[in-house]
Amino acid sequence: MRKINLTFFIILLIVVVVSCSKEEAEPLKRVPVLPETVYKYDSIGGQVSFDATAGFDIDNDKATLGRVLFYETQLSMNNRVSCGSCHRQSAGFADHVAKSEGFDGKLTKRNSQAILNTGLQSFFFHDLREEFLENMVLMPIADHIEMGLEDKDYMVEKISNIPYYKELFINAFGDSTVTITRISDGLVHFIRSMISVNSKWDIARENNFVNLNPQELRGKDLYFHEFPCSSCHGGNNLMGGASAGENIGLELWYSDPGTVGIDPVRNVPMNGWFKVPSLRNIEVTGPYMHDGRFNTLEEVVDFYDHGIKRHPQLSFFLRRGTNGGFFRLGESPQDLEQNLLTGVEPLRMFMTTQQKQDLVAFMKTFTDHDFLKDPRFSDPFRSF
Ligand code: HEC
Ligand code: HEC
């Protein structure tokens, strides 16, 4: 009797130990923790005199769903990567590496882009290949490097089986049915709400620049008048025109050709044309350029100062004889024409050390510290 009892006790002990250690090994559950009253996304950006939503009506419940989807690792093939893995809020929704790691450990072809004021942009990706944000937001999920979830039915099934989405879909759409269009819709409302218009620069524009210090004011003059920066990174969003990229002469010939198409002036395949990015939050979105080749703004400025290459398709704004489309003193339209016909002479800016520092100081006024900390855009997931 005593012996049986002992055997029984030992078996019980083993069972308890095994089940305990099993419990310990169980991964933590990631669950979104959302505010009791839904965050207001529909009034962001009201403090400036232009409409950063571009007339798009942001719905608070759809944006809330989009926020959860944006940080949802289960939208990737192996449940490890979310949009937020490569688009980090503290980095202006870019990230701090030249190429980002996708779900399978492979690296993306290009540098992760900052996300902001998408309402003011007409084309997406470095090569401007996508016009509609509605299509664009689903691409990273299916991308074989980024998130790897190619099968749309499986995506819908996965999201349908996660309990916390039920209420989010009901709030956003009136019932809990998950569809691809609704997933895209939620993400679009969230991304459209990522409006960044509260930088020192924005405040300066509304107040006759009284809040800029002498160095920033000198930088502003250089940016808008002395050097051609604002010809490309200009306007309310400090970015280029909508429909075409520019070739800035990073290389003599680009292995990543960028925009696909025919160069309208020379009638040859385009090479090295990339989206002119908005310089908002540029202080925190490095490394820079489509391939993340420059780590600091100082390196970028050095490149523009004396590093522009003689690429046959180099933008006119960066050739000698032009200053952002204006002629330099002593140079005529004939000189310009000559330059364009006879070969490419890249612009050399001959910046002093002081000018370089002033330019960088000025670009740092584009940082919107509220945007980088706004809880409405933060990761709602907590592990339990
Ligand atoms: C593995 C990293 C990675 C993940 C995950 C990822 N992205 Fe990206 N994202 C990038 C890269 C790299 C680019 C630039 C791609 C290109 O130009 O070809 C980009 C570009 C973008 C752009 C274009 C911005 C512009 O200014 O044109 C948006 C918007 C965007 N991503 C949103 C998302 C969303 C939404 C998700 C989740 C569904 C997501 N990304 C997931 C790396 C990532
Ligand atoms: C001809 C148009 C043009 C002009 C002029 C121009 N840029 Fe750019 N800029 C671009 C393009 C296009 C890119 C992106 C190139 C790439 O991704 O490879 C870029 C990229 C940048 C970046 C990095 C952005 C990022 O997110 O990686 C910075 C910073 C920058 N430019 C600053 C400046 C400054 C400062 C000047 C003036 C000295 C200037 N640019 C003049 C077109 C221009």
Side-chain angles (χ1 to χ4, degrees), residues 50 116-117 120-121 201-202 205 220 222-225 227-242 244 246 275-280 304 317 324 326 362-363 366:
F50 57 93
L116 61 92
N117 302 353
L120 302 179
Q121 306 186 35
W201 165 242
D202 290 297
R205 289 176 83 199
K220 169 177 159 280
L222 298 171
Y223 187 94
F224 284 98
H225 304 299
F227 304 125
C229 317
S230 64
S231 310
C232 290
H233 307 280
N236 288 333
N237 209 29
L238 298 160
M239 66 177 190
E246 292 281 354
K275 178 172 178 170
V276 181
S278 164
L279 294 193
R280 287 180 174 278
Y304 279 111
F317 292 129
F326 307 110
F362 175 61
M363 286 194 275
F366 304 159

Side-chain angles (χ1 to χ4, degrees), residues 82-83 86-87 110 113 124-126 129 136 140 191 275:
S82 71
C83 311
C86 304
H87 298 284
R110 297 183 179 137
Q113 286 169 287
F124 300 99
F125 294 121
H126 286 291
R129 67 181 177 279
M136 188 271 126
I191 286 171
K275 178 172 178 170

Side-chain angles (χ1 to χ4, degrees), residues 161-180:
N161 287 333
I162 304 173
Y164 50 77
Y165 279 108
K166 196 169 174 208
E167 199 186 327
L168 289 168
F169 274 82
I170 293 175
N171 291 346
F173 300 105
D175 66 73
S176 63
T177 314
V178 178
T179 65
I180 283 293

